[in-house]
Amino acid sequence: FTARSYPGETFRGRVSFVSPTVTDRTRAIPVRVDVPNEDRRLKPDMLIRGIIHAALADGGLVAGSPPADKPGDTIGDHDHEEGAIPCDMCRAWAQRADTAAARYPACACAGCDMHGKHVHAEKPLVIPASAPLLTGKRAVVYVQQPDAEDPTFVGREIELGPRAGDYYVVRSGLHEGELVAVSGNFKIDSALQIRAEPSMMTTRAGEFWKAPPDSPVGPIHYETPLEFRERLGNAIDAYFDLARGLADDDLQAALAAVIDLNAALGRIDAAELDDDARTALQDEHLPVVQHTLKSIAEARTLDEARLPFLPLSDELADVVRHFGVSGLLAVHRVHCPMAFDDAGAGWLQPDTDIRNPYYGAVMLQCGEVVETLHQEDAPVEFRRQMGSVVREAFTLSDALAGDDFERALEAVRSVEQALGKVDPDPLPERPKSAWQSRAERLAEALGEMSGAGDLDEIRRPFDPFSEALIAAVRHFGVDGLDAVHQVHCPMAFDDRGADWLQPDEEIRNPYYGAEMFRCGEVVDTLHGE
C-alpha cells in the first residue's frame, strides 16, 4: 500500500484479520494488516491506497500463504517459531497474529484458508479476463472445436469464480487444455446473434433470454442523480459521433469516437447510485459495452466495426431506458430492417434525420424512428426565435408558390434576419453544436437564394433549405405558431420529390407555382394539432 504522506514509497504487510461485518456508515469492510512500523511513520487515520494479493486454490477459495514467502513447516520436520500452533486440518504450523485474532489463525501452509477450513492445494483453472462475455448472471466463452477443418468456435456457458488480476477462476464448464477465444469474441457473438443462433443473449436459435418469473414486467427505471445523467449524456454524445463516423464510411473518425466514448464512460461514477442501480450498471450493462467497444477498437475495416456496433447500440438503448440522460434534447432509436441480410439492426440518433451506420453511403437513408427514449424541450426563448424563422419561411414559400420573384427575394432577406437573431447559448453543449451545424446549412442555402436571378434559381436551394429547417423543427421545436405542417411533392425535381413547411393544410406548391399549384400532400404535423 501507499500513503499520500510518503509519495513514491511502497509498504508491505500481511492481512491478519478481515471483519465479518460491514461498517454501516461507510458501507466498507475493515481489514487489519500487520506491517513493521518501528519509526512510527504510519499513524492512525492516515489515508492509504492498497492492493491485496491472495493465493487462490482449487475452486477459487483463498488459501493461506506462509509468512515472508517461507514454505510451511509440518510438525516434526524442524524447529518452528515461538508462539506457533499446529493446524488442526493439515498439521502445519499456524502463526496467531494476536489473541484477538485467535479465532482466525493465519495458517502457514497452502492447504488451509484463514478460517481453519481445508482448501485443496491444487492450482485453480483460470482463463484471461478478456475471454468470458458477461451478462450479469451468465458468463459465456467461445471454445475452439479441435476437429474442425476451419477455425470453429462454439459458445459455452461456464461458472466463474473470483477475478484474480487479469484472470478469472473457472469453477465449472471448462477443462484444462481447451482453447477459448480471448479477443474478437464479441465479433463471434454478434455474428451468431445476427443469424439468430445460440449466443450470449440467446439460449437457442431465435429465443432470447427471459427474465425470471418473479422479475418485474417492463423496463426498470432507476432514480439517478442529475450529475450521473449528465455524464451518461456525454457518453451517449460520444456514441453519436461513433454512429456518424460509420454512417460517413469514415473508420478513423469512428475509432476516434471509441476513444472518446471510453473516456466518457470512465468519468461515470457508479458510487452515486443506489445498490440495485449500481449492480445493474456494473455487472450487466458496462461489461457488454466495454466488450463491444474493444471489438470496434480492434476493427481494421468498416464491416468489422459495424458488426459489434449492433450489440453496443442495443445495450446503450437499455442504459438510456433504465438510467436516463441529461444534456441531450432527444435520443431516438432507429431501425433498419434490411441490415445484415434482412435480419435488421438498430441504433441511436439525436434527431430524426436518418443516417444509417450499417450501410453508409450505399443506403444512407434506410431506416425509421421506432422509439423515442429521451425528449426534452429546448428553452422557450430559443423556440420562439425558431418560430420567427419558420414564420418568415412560410412567407418565402407563399411567394414562390405565387411566382412572385421580388417578394421571394424580400422574404429571403427576412429569413436571414430572423436566423441571425437565433441565440443558441441557452442550449446544452451538444444541441448547441447540432444547431450551429444546421444554421450553417440554412445560411448557405439562403446565400444562394439571395443571389438568384430568377425563380428557378431560388427554388433549387429552397429544397435543401427546407430539409434543414424541417430537421431543426423536429429537433428543437418551435413556439409562437399555431401549427407547422410538412408537405411533400413527389414530382418535384424530375420525380425526386421535395418538401416544405406550411402553417395550414391547403396545398400551395412553391416548386411549381401556378404550373401545378396543388401538387403535394401533408405528410406530417411538426407542431400543433
Side-chain angles (χ1 to χ4, degrees):
F1 62 91
T2 58
R4 288 185 178 180
S5 304
Y6 309 109
E9 187 171 355
T10 300
F11 299 86
R12 290 178 175 82
R14 179 179 174 85
V15 174
S16 60
F17 178 73
V18 178
S19 173
T21 61
V22 176
T23 304
D24 56 0
R25 184 176 60 84
T26 63
R27 310 301 299 170
I29 298 175
V31 176
R32 173 172 180 154
V33 177
D34 293 336
V35 58
N37 191 31
E38 290 86 356
D39 49 9
R40 303 198 176 186
R41 291 193 300 160
L42 300 176
K43 297 174 173 59
D45 296 326
M46 286 180 66
L47 182 63
I48 67 168
R49 189 175 296 271
I51 300 175
I52 294 179
H53 299 272
L56 297 182
D58 187 24
L61 296 174
V62 177
S65 56
D69 299 325
K70 178 183 177 182
D73 297 336
T74 58
I75 295 177
D77 284 348
H78 45 74
D79 294 338
H80 54 268
E81 297 180 11
E82 183 178 356
I85 62 171
C87 173
D88 293 335
M89 299 299 298
C90 59
R91 306 305 298 168
W93 289 106
Q95 186 70 38
R96 296 186 190 276
D98 56 26
T99 55
R103 291 182 300 156
Y104 303 100
C107 182
C109 72
C112 294
D113 67 7
M114 291 187 180
H115 302 278
K117 179 181 177 182
H118 190 68
V119 178
H120 297 293
E122 289 85 358
K123 293 181 179 179
L125 180 65
V126 297
I127 56 175
S130 61
L133 299 181
L134 308 175
T135 67
K137 296 181 179 179
R138 305 172 60 230
V140 175
V141 293
Y142 284 97
V143 184
Q144 184 173 357
Q145 300 304 289
D147 300 329
E149 182 175 344
D150 296 320
T152 303
F153 294 85
V154 175
R156 187 186 301 174
E157 186 173 345
I158 63 173
E159 181 185 1
L160 292 179
R163 178 164 179 167
D166 294 330
Y167 294 88
Y168 274 109
V169 172
V170 178
R171 286 185 173 141
S172 64
L174 279 177
H175 301 286
E176 185 176 357
E178 288 186 299
L179 299 179
V180 296
V182 296
S183 64
N185 41 11
F186 222 108
K187 295 178 184 178
I188 300 173
D189 192 86
S190 300
L192 292 175
Q193 288 186 42
I194 291 168
R195 296 200 299 267
E197 296 180 10
S199 68
M200 182 181 72
M201 301 302 295
T202 58
T203 55
R204 54 181 181 271
E207 181 180 339
F208 282 84
W209 280 89
K210 297 179 176 61
D214 57 349
S215 294
V217 178
I220 300 172
H221 299 285
Y222 298 107
E223 294 294 329
T224 56
L226 176 60
E227 185 176 359
F228 174 87
R229 296 197 303 274
E230 289 176 342
R231 291 179 178 176
L232 184 55
N234 292 334
I236 300 300
D237 188 8
Y239 164 89
F240 289 153
D241 290 336
L242 169 56
R244 184 173 293 104
L246 296 176
D248 292 341
D249 297 320
D250 189 339
L251 179 61
Q252 295 307 313
L255 295 179
V258 169
I259 296 174
D260 293 340
L261 179 48
N262 270 317
L265 290 171
R267 289 189 286 270
I268 293 177
D269 185 7
E272 302 173 318
L273 307 177
D274 61 32
D275 291 346
D276 290 342
R278 182 169 59 253
T279 298
L281 181 68
Q282 293 180 331
D283 294 351
E284 297 180 22
H285 299 295
L286 286 183
V288 178
V289 171
Q290 290 162 350
H291 273 297
T292 50
L293 286 176
K294 183 175 183 292
S295 295
I296 297 173
E298 295 172 351
R300 298 182 181 179
T301 66
L302 283 166
D303 286 343
E304 289 183 0
R306 284 166 171 152
L307 193 59
F309 181 74
L310 167 58
L312 171 66
S313 300
D314 290 344
E315 198 65 34
L316 287 179
D318 279 343
V319 170
V320 174
R321 287 190 192 96
H322 296 329
F323 299 92
V325 294
S326 188
L328 302 172
L329 289 184
V331 179
H332 302 288
R333 188 169 69 88
V334 188
H335 182 75
C336 170
M338 300 177 65
F340 300 113
D341 296 329
D342 297 332
W347 70 97
L348 305 180
Q349 286 192 181
D351 51 42
T352 57
D353 186 10
I354 306 299
R355 298 176 299 276
N356 192 307
Y358 300 105
Y359 282 112
V362 175
M363 283 196 293
L364 186 63
Q365 304 298 322
C366 180
E368 64 175 336
V369 175
V370 295
E371 185 181 3
T372 297
L373 302 177
H374 174 75
Q375 185 76 61
E376 291 182 16
D377 291 332
V380 173
E381 184 58 32
F382 180 87
R383 297 201 309 272
R384 287 175 179 166
Q385 293 165 356
M386 278 288 301
S388 298
V389 175
V390 174
R391 186 181 295 109
E392 298 302 335
F394 289 159
T395 303
L396 171 58
S397 178
D398 284 343
L400 292 174
D403 297 321
D404 190 334
F405 176 66
E406 293 300 329
R407 184 178 171 222
L409 281 180
E410 183 180 345
V412 167
R413 289 190 288 270
S414 297
V415 176
E416 287 179 320
Q417 291 174 0
L419 183 63
K421 295 178 181 178
V422 177
D423 180 13
D425 285 343
L427 295 173
E429 193 62 33
R430 174 71 191 202
K432 182 191 300 184
S433 176
W435 164 250
Q436 289 170 340
S437 175
R438 297 192 187 284
E440 290 174 3
R441 292 167 59 187
L442 291 168
E444 181 180 355
L446 288 169
E448 291 184 39
M449 286 188 274
S450 64
D454 55 38
L455 282 169
D456 285 342
E457 290 183 359
I458 296 181
R459 283 168 172 152
R460 281 194 295 271
F462 182 72
D463 177 27
F465 167 82
S466 296
E467 285 186 4
L469 187 59
I470 289 169
V473 172
R474 288 184 181 277
H475 195 167
F476 301 99
V478 295
D479 210 347
L481 300 172
D482 292 333
V484 179
H485 301 286
Q486 179 183 349
V487 189
H488 178 74
C489 171
M491 299 178 66
F493 301 109
D494 296 326
D495 298 331
R496 175 172 60 83
D499 293 5
W500 69 97
L501 296 178
Q502 286 190 180
D504 52 46
E505 299 186 35
E506 184 179 346
I507 306 301
R508 299 178 297 278
N509 193 306
Y511 298 105
Y512 282 110
E515 184 180 352
M516 283 195 292
F517 192 66
R518 300 298 183 188
C519 179
E521 64 175 336
V522 174
V523 294
D524 200 1
T525 297
L526 307 182
H527 174 72
E529 296 298 332

